[in-house]
């Protein structure tokens, strides 16, 4: 497919960047994470190692083990949100090597940092909510996420069964989707950048390591049934958390799904305004949620400034809100996470029933 083209940038984004840069200059702060994100990364990494070691080598009682598996799934998600995500965008640290190392944690957790960069940083952040371009809204045939996708009879119930599919995200990601992208050399309809020898070795080397760490070794130490129960609980909880956080950002009732012009392929808005119209925030006053999800409840701020660390989003959100008011652009925000979840369920119901 031909890639959509955005309208030429006008005064909005230039002024927004100027005001944001002024904030950092006046505050005397770097746009990267600093001590707060380093300490969080160390805490989450230590929690991951301790939980894994205790579960695999010390075999706690069943009830306690299952609780630890839930916690492990949450920690995996939190590392993805707080460490890997910022690192992949180059906002974890001013040190390029540390950013690469933070992004590389995805390989250890079972995914592929190479595929993530192409899917998320390049495709999703550029063509958010554009059918045929944004791979994040392509869950076909199981779900219908935009009016441009075909509607099947099962979609009538997608607002009920989506919980199960979201639980399967992590397993599908590490065992199916990464391999699909590798062998088809595509992210949805987009060609994947050619991998060099090192990329191939890293992809396969860590896939083999993950099979050993998360399947072979636990089966050896706790037995097949024990591993199966623990693996299912861990990956299902991680998948549910990961899915919800990212879906609440774009697939709710008030976000837009713009369509390029049929003949020219041009979008109506410039890129920055497109990002605001297709993105939503939730629970931004809840510091616990903000800490756990790595500021991804400030999704508007993240899409406009992905190279700014999430620790600064609460501050720059005030600048963006003011700009949206001045330019008469709707700033989509749900004050509570449960309101965003309700809106997502309503959106799925609409997509499942609308022609």
């Amino acid at each position: 497919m031909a890639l959509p083209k955005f309208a030429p940038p006008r005064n909005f984004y230039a002024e927004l960047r100027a005001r944001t840069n002024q904030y950092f200059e006046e505050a005397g702060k770097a746009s990267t994470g600093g001590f707060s994100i380093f300490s969080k990364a160390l805490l989450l990494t230590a929690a991951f190692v301790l939980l894994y070691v205790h579960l695999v080598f010390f075999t706690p009682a069943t009830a306690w083990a299952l609780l630890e598996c839930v916690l492990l799934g949450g920690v995996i998600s939190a590392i993805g949100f707080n460490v890997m995500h910022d690192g992949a965008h180059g906002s974890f640290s001013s040190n390029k090597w540390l950013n690469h190392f933070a992004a590389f944690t995805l390989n250890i957790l079972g995914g592929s940092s190479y595929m993530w960069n192409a899917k998320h940083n390049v495709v999703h952040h550029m063509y958010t909510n554009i059918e045929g371009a944004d791979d994040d809204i392509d869950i076909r045939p199981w779900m219908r996420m935009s009016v441009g996708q075909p509607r099947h009879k099962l979609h009538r119930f997608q607002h009920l069964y989506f919980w199960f599919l979201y639980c399967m995200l992590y397993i599908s990601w590490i065992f199916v989707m990464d391999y699909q992208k590798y062998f088809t050399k595509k992210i949805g309809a987009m060609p994947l950048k050619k991998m060099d020898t090192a990329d191939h070795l890293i992809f396969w080397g860590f896939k083999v390591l993950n099979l050993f760490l998360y399947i072979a070794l636990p089966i050896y130490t706790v037995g097949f049934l024990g591993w199966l129960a623990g693996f299912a609980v861990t990956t299902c909880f991680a998948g549910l958390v990961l899915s919800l956080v990212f879906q609440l950002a774009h697939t709710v009732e008030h976000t837009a799904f713009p369509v390029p012009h049929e003949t020219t392929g041009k979008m109506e808005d410039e890129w920055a305004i497109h990002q605001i119209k297709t993105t939503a925030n939730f629970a931004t006053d809840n510091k616990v949620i903000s800490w756990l999800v790595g500021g991804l409840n400030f999704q508007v701020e993240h899409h406009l400034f992905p190279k700014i660390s999430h620790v600064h989003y609460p501050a720059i959100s005030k600048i963006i809100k003011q700009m949206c008011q001045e330019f008469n652009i709707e700033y989509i925000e749900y004050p509570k996470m449960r309101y965003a979840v309700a809106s997502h369920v309503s959106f799925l119901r609409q997509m499942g029933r609308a022609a």
Side-chain angles (χ1 to χ4, degrees):
M1 63 167 289
L3 296 177
K5 297 179 181 179
F6 293 98
R10 301 183 180 90
N11 295 332
F12 174 80
Y13 197 41
E15 177 64 20
L16 180 59
R17 285 184 296 179
R19 294 187 191 183
T20 302
N21 291 336
Q22 183 180 6
Y23 160 77
F24 283 107
E25 290 174 4
E26 293 177 351
K29 296 179 179 179
S31 62
T32 49
F35 175 77
S36 61
I37 197 170
F38 295 153
S39 58
K40 189 192 293 191
L42 290 174
L43 177 63
L44 291 172
T45 302
F48 173 81
V49 173
L50 289 172
L51 285 167
Y52 175 87
V53 169
H54 193 241
L55 283 165
V56 174
F57 296 105
F58 293 91
T59 317
T62 301
W64 187 256
L66 292 176
L67 175 60
E68 287 191 11
C69 288
V70 172
L71 290 175
L72 182 59
V75 170
I76 288 172
S77 302
I79 291 174
F81 294 143
N82 291 277
V83 183
M84 183 279 290
H85 190 250
D86 271 35
H89 282 293
S91 62
F92 183 84
S93 168
S94 57
N95 186 302
K96 188 176 181 180
W97 182 86
L98 280 177
N99 283 321
H100 282 311
F101 184 79
F104 210 76
T105 57
L106 179 57
N107 296 295
I108 299 169
L109 296 177
S112 166
S113 58
Y114 186 94
M115 299 304 171
W116 172 263
N117 178 67
K119 170 185 170 65
H120 182 79
N121 294 12
V122 178
V123 177
H124 170 68
H125 269 266
M126 178 60 71
Y127 305 108
T128 313
N129 276 13
I130 300 177
E131 169 58 31
D134 185 2
D135 187 59
D136 278 15
I137 59 172
D138 187 0
I139 317 178
R140 293 177 291 178
W142 314 110
M143 297 182 70
R144 184 182 189 232
M145 305 300 283
S146 77
V147 294
Q149 297 174 353
R151 182 169 62 92
H152 304 301
K153 290 182 179 179
L154 79 160
H155 294 153
R156 186 175 181 85
F157 307 102
Q158 67 178 10
H159 64 288
L160 300 175
Y161 64 71
F162 78 94
W163 298 101
F164 171 77
L165 291 181
Y166 287 2
C167 285
M168 295 295 103
L169 168 72
Y170 192 59
I171 295 176
S172 176
W173 181 355
I174 62 179
F175 289 129
V176 179
M177 292 189 289
D178 275 348
Y179 293 105
Q180 284 181 335
K181 294 174 178 59
Y182 182 88
F183 287 110
T184 63
K185 298 181 175 62
K186 291 182 179 180
I187 306 291
M190 306 290 188
L192 183 67
K193 181 182 176 182
K194 186 177 180 180
M195 301 172 72
D196 59 27
T197 302
D199 295 325
H200 288 289
L201 291 174
I202 290 171
F203 180 88
W204 286 109
F206 276 92
K207 287 299 182 182
V208 172
L209 177 64
N210 292 325
L211 291 175
F212 172 76
L213 289 177
Y214 304 126
I215 298 179
L217 182 58
I219 290 177
Y220 177 77
T221 57
V222 304
F224 179 78
L225 292 180
W227 162 79
L228 182 62
F231 188 76
V233 170
T234 299
T235 55
C236 284
F237 188 70
L240 179 62
V241 173
L242 289 165
S243 295
L244 278 179
V245 170
F246 284 112
Q247 293 293 1
L248 296 185
H250 303 290
T251 55
V252 288
E253 293 172 289
H254 300 92
T255 51
F257 291 78
V259 178
H261 189 277
E262 187 175 351
T263 55
T264 66
K266 292 183 178 180
M267 305 299 298
E268 180 181 354
D269 295 310
E270 63 173 288
W271 175 84
I273 294 177
H274 172 90
Q275 296 304 316
I276 295 174
K277 289 183 177 181
T278 57
T279 308
N281 287 359
F282 64 89
T284 53
D285 289 332
N286 190 316
K287 293 184 179 180
V288 174
I289 289 178
S290 296
W291 192 92
L292 291 172
V293 305
L296 290 179
N297 50 333
F298 288 88
Q299 194 74 201
V300 173
E301 288 67 30
H302 173 60
H303 267 253
L304 289 171
F305 297 104
K307 292 188 178 298
I308 293 178
S309 175
H310 70 267
V311 302
H312 302 294
Y313 291 164
I316 66 174
S317 68
K318 299 173 183 177
I319 301 171
I320 296 172
K321 285 181 180 179
Q322 179 62 37
M323 284 285 295
C324 286
Q325 288 180 355
E326 295 176 15
F327 282 77
N328 195 30
I329 302 170
E330 183 183 6
Y331 181 96
I332 307 169
E333 184 171 26
Y334 296 92
K336 305 288 185 182
M337 184 172 182
R338 64 178 181 270
Y339 298 160
V341 172
S343 184
H344 178 59
V345 173
S346 180
F347 167 81
L348 292 178
R349 183 187 294 112
Q350 293 173 17
M351 288 297 101
R353 298 181 181 184

